[in-house]
Amino acid sequence: MKRSTDRILTTHVGSLPRPADLLEMTLARDRGEPYDARAYPARLKSAVAAVVRAQARAGIDVVDDGEFGKPGFIHYVNRRLTGFAPASGAPPQSPFADSREYRAFPEYYAAEARAHPSPAAEAPHMECVGPIAYCGHEALAADIANLKAALAEVEVEEAFMPAVSPSNVEEWQKNSYYKTDEEFVFAIAEAMREEYKAIVEAGIVLQIDDPRLVTYYNVTPEASVADCRKWAEARVAALNHALAGLPRERIRFHTCYGINIGPRVHDMEVKDVIDLILRVNAGAYSFEAANPRHEHEWKVWQSARLPEGAVLIPGVITHSNVMVEHPEAIAERIERFAAAIGRENVIAGADCGFGTFAGSEEIQERIGLGKARGARRRRAPRHEAAVALRLTACNRHLRGRGDPRALRAQAVVIPAQAGIHAHSGRKPMDSRLRGNDGARGSVAHGLRKLRPHALPQTDSATFTTSSSLRRSSSIVTGLPR
């Protein structure tokens, strides 16, 4: 897995809104309705190529296929696991319908459901009626081939591919075959191991998507934190069983809170589950850190005992509101983590995906474009300008502990033509930290990444939230390692 040795690398969580014609085919295929089966593979391949190009042009370093080959981040397994049949009886209600959050704010969530019906409500569920085995080799091979073909046309640092965790499949599908929940989730883990292994062997970083690990507390109102931890321990054990023998440095783990836009006062706190998250056999950990409910938790990650060589992928742009983040706010989020655990151990990411189920529209395309434009609107005057690195508080904390990672400077001088707003009257960073002009890893190198690029015309524009992220990550290129 690539690290931020020369500059802060950028990535996202995976899912992106599908282009309209592909979305129509994807939904019809998922629901068993007529669609052009002959045209679908070629259209999927071209859409993946377009979204990978778009990510590369927007400055994303670690890219994926937007999960375009899947109807949703969980129930795509309906076509990839045997032992299941269409669920009998009435469709199950959303697990959030009786959650702590819904009980606390029933009027809000009822109104939100009426105004913005979730595509997940119409996604099909299955019922386990026999032994589970993996049968998705052909579909997975197509996803891998499409991504690799797209990668051949761009220059990026690395690629990743998401795959759902066993516990999320356990929640989505009904069990009418295995004797216990634990037996059921371990059977899913054994089957999904084939998908995980194939992704890693293809030379692509595997991302495990596991929002249920931290949402279980919210959707199980009668459970205490201790109850949820006991439940989570068994699910982490099942996931690690599926990952056994795979190189952890080729695996990243993502968890988040399920609800996108809402009050969210019942999210499980990171302090209550961080040790279980870090028990997952992964080399990187992706989590929410850019919204008002969880932004303060960088302090928890700062004091955590991370596995040797671990990378953190904090969200620095969020899916939980439609406000366009200012690039300096994004930079501050990156800086906090870089100061806390070392620059090379941070990759800037997003809180969650922007199209987790085909047809999700909470963060619409124009808002995504607005998030990108926020980084381009501020122009510096035509003279040398200093961009302050607001790390004083972190610095003081680290120095107070005698931590060698404490920063030795507060600002870095950058040319105005980079398009960054000026904050004059600050000291330049020590030249030892800046490096030689033009050298890779220097501020000058980071500036080339900062200069505005034209937004590409693509099938989807939501990914361009990354332009803000990209410029902000470059602001902190001069951080000491």
Side-chain angles (χ1 to χ4, degrees):
M1 191 179 304
K2 296 294 181 72
R3 306 178 77 88
S4 297
T5 52
D6 296 330
R7 56 185 170 79
I8 302 293
L9 299 179
T10 58
T11 189
H12 61 103
V13 170
S15 59
L16 299 168
R18 288 80 171 163
D21 60 333
L22 179 64
L23 174 61
E24 185 179 349
M25 286 191 280
T26 299
L27 292 176
R29 185 170 181 262
D30 189 44
R31 297 167 183 167
E33 299 169 357
Y35 73 102
D36 191 339
R38 293 182 64 183
Y40 175 77
R43 181 62 188 108
L44 175 59
K45 182 177 181 179
S46 66
V48 170
V51 79
V52 169
R53 285 195 303 271
Q55 291 170 78
R57 290 171 182 166
I60 290 290
D61 295 302
V62 186
V63 305
D64 83 326
D65 64 352
E67 297 197 78
F68 281 7
K70 302 170 182 174
F73 83 101
I74 301 176
H75 76 286
Y76 76 93
V77 299
N78 289 359
R79 290 174 173 265
R80 299 193 185 187
L81 297 176
T82 64
F84 291 89
S88 56
Q93 69 172 5
S94 164
F96 290 97
D98 193 37
S99 64
R100 299 171 198 261
E101 189 76 6
Y102 194 96
R103 291 181 181 184
F105 304 100
E107 298 86 0
Y108 170 81
Y109 285 108
E112 185 68 14
R114 289 192 300 270
H116 304 103
S118 170
E122 297 185 36
H125 294 256
M126 305 288 279
E127 180 176 357
C128 183
V129 295
I132 300 172
Y134 191 77
C135 65
H137 305 89
E138 185 177 347
L140 177 59
D143 284 347
I144 291 172
N146 288 339
L147 179 55
K148 284 192 166 185
L151 291 171
E153 304 300 321
V154 299
E155 290 186 16
V156 293
E157 293 288 338
E158 202 160 41
F160 73 99
M161 182 169 285
V164 70
S165 74
S167 68
N168 282 267
V169 180
E170 174 198 15
E171 178 185 50
W172 189 266
Q173 316 288 42
K174 180 181 177 182
N175 173 32
S176 298
Y177 179 78
Y178 292 95
K179 293 179 181 178
T180 66
D181 291 342
E182 286 73 17
E183 187 180 345
F184 182 40
V185 75
F186 268 86
I188 297 168
E190 182 65 30
M192 289 301 295
R193 174 176 168 76
E194 292 197 38
E195 179 159 299
Y196 304 161
K197 184 170 181 283
I199 293 171
V200 171
E201 289 181 346
I204 299 169
V205 172
L206 165 67
Q207 176 178 291
I208 299 296
D209 284 339
D210 192 6
R212 195 183 183 209
L213 186 70
V214 294
T215 59
Y216 184 79
Y217 173 80
N218 183 21
V219 301
T220 315
E222 67 279 4
S224 66
V225 168
D227 294 334
C228 294
R229 286 182 54 84
K230 183 178 179 181
W231 172 91
E233 286 176 352
R235 274 67 197 173
V236 170
L239 175 57
N240 283 339
H241 171 78
L243 297 175
L246 300 180
R248 66 184 304 158
E249 67 271 12
R250 300 300 296 167
I251 301 166
R252 58 193 230 183
F253 176 80
H254 171 72
T255 191
C256 58
Y257 291 89
I259 292 176
N260 292 354
I261 299 175
R264 294 181 54 176
V265 300
H266 295 96
D267 285 358
M268 191 175 196
E269 294 185 69
V270 164
K271 67 182 178 62
D272 292 325
V273 73
I274 189 170
D275 59 317
L276 297 178
I277 293 172
L278 295 175
R279 201 177 293 178
V280 174
N281 289 330
Y285 302 90
S286 164
F287 50 90
E288 292 193 26
N291 61 70
R293 198 71 202 171
H294 297 284
E295 188 166 1
H296 69 285
E297 290 177 330
W298 68 270
K299 299 171 188 174
V300 180
W301 290 98
Q302 179 185 45
S303 59
R305 187 180 297 274
L306 301 179
E308 184 69 27
V311 170
L312 296 187
I313 310 177
V316 296
I317 56 174
T318 191
H319 66 304
S320 66
N321 64 58
V322 296
M323 185 173 291
V324 174
E325 295 92 345
H326 195 286
E328 288 190 17
I330 298 171
E332 288 179 356
R333 291 167 180 162
I334 297 171
E335 289 160 9
R336 284 196 290 263
F337 279 94
I341 65 168
R343 185 189 71 186
E344 70 279 8
N345 301 318
V346 177
I347 297 176
D351 279 355
C352 189
F354 292 104
T356 50
F357 287 88
S360 297
E361 290 187 339
E362 285 143 317
I363 303 296
Q364 296 178 356
E365 187 173 73
R366 289 182 183 273
I367 294 173
L369 282 169
K371 286 175 176 276
R373 282 194 295 267
R376 305 205 314 271
R377 282 182 181 149
R378 298 182 73 173
R379 293 287 189 267
R382 294 182 177 277
H383 56 73
E384 290 289 304
V387 177
L389 298 181
R390 296 169 179 79
L391 291 163
T392 306
C394 301
N395 222 15
R396 190 158 46 240
H397 176 69
L398 292 172
R399 284 194 182 116
R401 295 179 356 192
D403 196 309
R405 293 173 298 184
L407 299 181
R408 292 170 288 173
Q410 300 302 316
V412 55
V413 172
I414 65 173
Q417 63 264 31
I420 303 300
H421 184 70
H423 293 268
S424 58
R426 308 295 179 96
K427 273 192 199 170
M429 180 173 280
D430 189 322
S431 60
R432 289 172 297 172
L433 303 183
R434 285 189 285 149
N436 295 327
D437 212 33
R440 184 166 178 81
S442 69
V443 172
H445 175 77
L447 294 178
R448 287 194 288 276
K449 308 299 288 185
L450 269 164
R451 292 191 180 102
H453 287 245
L455 290 175
Q457 296 296 317
T458 63
D459 290 318
S460 168
T462 299
F463 69 87
T464 55
T465 56
S466 63
S467 296
S468 226
L469 189 158
R470 167 195 178 179
R471 290 170 171 78
S472 302
S473 72
S474 299
I475 291 173
V476 296
T477 297
L479 286 175
R481 292 158 62 182

